[in-house]
Amino acid sequence: MPHIAATATINLPYKIAQQDVKQQAHDLFSANFPQTDRLIFAFDNTEIVTRNFCKPLSYYAEPNTFEQRNNDYIENALKYSVQAIEDCIAKAGVTGGDITDIYFVTTTGLATPSIDALIINQMQLNPHVNRSPLWGLGCGGGVSGMAKACTTAKANPDAVVLLVAVELCSLTLIKSDYSKSNFIGSSLFSDGIAAVIIKGDNHIPTGHKIGFIAASSKLYYNSLDVMGWEFKDTGFKVLFSKDIPTFINENVKIDITEFLTRHQLQLSDIKNFIFHPGGKKVLDAYTNALGVEGDF
């Protein structure tokens, strides 16, 4: 089975205390958003201590356009992707020329040619590498990208697949959007970059092997408005529904149990779960629905 050969993440230059973000959000929203004082405690309820940003906190209070923010997205996505990839390929014991496939996952910026093409050009990777830019998967992008990368490595035992996930959510902030969704989103979303190398069966793993068995996904009908973007002249307007924990409580245990059963497994066989941290309420919904203990 395909295996994970190496992983790498980036320590972004600006690690900001949640309380500092909270104060700035109050300053930005209070004059035009009447619910600010009532909802400001959402910043505390997340139980987030620090946030990682690609820009200093002052940047998000300055006047800027969608064009400027998107240009900053392209610049930072490329810069930090290259750093993560260089770290990852060194750990995996491969060279850039060994990479056969690249999956680039994002939802928070626009680029054509896509960022994977910019990466190949800057790093002088194999020009024949198979490119798969994945856009619009949102919070599920990383795990979906992993599934697709592993499927590729399963189909080609000689494959060395590079997966890069970049979300610079902070750059999507529209300061003139005085909606509840934007306010709550500003209490949660940060920036992150990660890279993974997955190898096919013809590559002998070194050290502890983390293998890939199977993947599954599910789209719930009539749930398309739960989370996403509306595209405005000013940028990416966030859609963020309070129904996300409800969806988890109603569906996740059944869905995961059915998936495990297809592979002769049950919930008690799983030692660790990794959940997308869409705030404490989302994590609580997972732990309650599955009856597991969290260590977040």
Side-chain angles (χ1 to χ4, degrees), residues 88-149:
C88 199
I89 62 178
K91 291 177 180 176
V94 301
T95 68
D98 296 323
I99 296 170
T100 59
D101 303 82
I102 178 170
Y103 285 85
F104 183 84
V105 182
T106 193
T107 308
T108 48
L110 302 172
T112 304
S114 50
I115 302 293
D116 49 293
L118 306 185
I119 291 169
I120 294 168
N121 184 67
Q122 179 162 319
M123 298 186 71
Q124 297 290 282
L125 302 181
N126 180 355
H128 301 289
V129 66
N130 298 310
R131 295 170 48 209
S132 297
L134 303 177
W135 196 93
L137 293 170
C139 301
V143 69
S144 182
M146 176 66 76
K148 290 171 173 58

Side-chain angles (χ1 to χ4, degrees), residues 20-270:
D20 292 337
V21 183
K22 174 184 175 182
Q23 182 60 54
Q24 177 155 296
H26 186 277
D27 295 342
L28 288 174
F29 279 87
S30 57
N32 297 285
F33 184 56
Q35 299 183 66
T36 297
D37 289 334
R38 183 173 67 84
L39 295 176
I40 195 67
F41 297 103
F43 284 80
D44 303 318
N45 295 338
T46 63
E47 298 190 6
I48 294 170
V49 178
T50 57
R51 308 265 291 278
N52 293 310
F53 296 133
C54 64
K55 293 284 190 179
L57 189 59
S58 59
Y59 169 93
Y60 305 100
E62 296 169 356
N64 52 53
T65 63
F66 174 38
E67 179 181 356
Q68 179 185 338
R69 296 196 305 274
N70 196 69
N71 286 339
D72 289 336
Y73 163 84
I74 294 172
E75 177 184 347
N76 283 272
L78 176 60
K79 173 183 176 180
Y80 293 117
S81 291
V82 169
Q83 289 184 18
I85 293 165
E86 290 175 339
D87 185 19
C88 199
I89 62 178
K91 291 177 180 176
V94 301
T95 68
D98 296 323
I99 296 170
T100 59
D101 303 82
I102 178 170
Y103 285 85
F104 183 84
V105 182
T106 193
T107 308
T108 48
L110 302 172
T112 304
S114 50
I115 302 293
D116 49 293
L118 306 185
I119 291 169
I120 294 168
N121 184 67
Q122 179 162 319
M123 298 186 71
Q124 297 290 282
L125 302 181
N126 180 355
H128 301 289
V129 66
N130 298 310
R131 295 170 48 209
S132 297
L134 303 177
W135 196 93
L137 293 170
C139 301
V143 69
S144 182
M146 176 66 76
K148 290 171 173 58
C150 288
T151 298
T152 296
K154 194 172 184 179
N156 176 14
D158 292 321
V160 177
V161 186
L162 169 65
L163 168 66
V164 185
V166 175
E167 298 297 1
L168 303 181
C169 302
S170 70
L171 296 179
T172 67
L173 177 68
I174 302 175
K175 295 188 294 296
S176 59
D177 176 11
Y178 301 110
S179 66
K180 181 178 178 181
S181 289
N182 193 39
F183 187 82
I184 297 300
S186 71
S187 75
L188 290 170
F189 301 139
S190 301
D191 302 334
I193 300 95
V196 184
I197 295 285
I198 299 105
K199 294 182 179 181
D201 273 348
N202 287 349
H203 298 274
I204 299 174
T206 58
H208 180 64
K209 176 181 177 180
I210 301 176
F212 167 81
I213 296 176
S216 179
S217 64
K218 183 175 181 179
L219 176 68
Y220 298 107
Y221 298 134
N222 303 316
S223 67
L224 301 181
D225 59 347
V226 170
M227 197 164 187
W229 300 120
E230 284 185 347
F231 298 99
K232 305 292 187 180
D233 291 341
T234 49
F236 292 23
K237 175 181 169 60
V238 66
L239 301 176
F240 192 69
S241 170
K242 64 180 180 181
D243 294 330
I244 297 172
T246 302
F247 269 90
I248 293 169
N249 278 308
E250 291 179 351
N251 297 288
V252 71
K253 184 172 184 178
I254 295 172
D255 293 337
I256 291 179
T257 300
E258 290 179 350
F259 172 68
L260 293 174
T261 299
R262 293 199 296 272
H263 301 282
Q264 295 75 53
L265 294 168
Q266 52 189 353
L267 280 173
S268 59
D269 294 319
I270 306 303

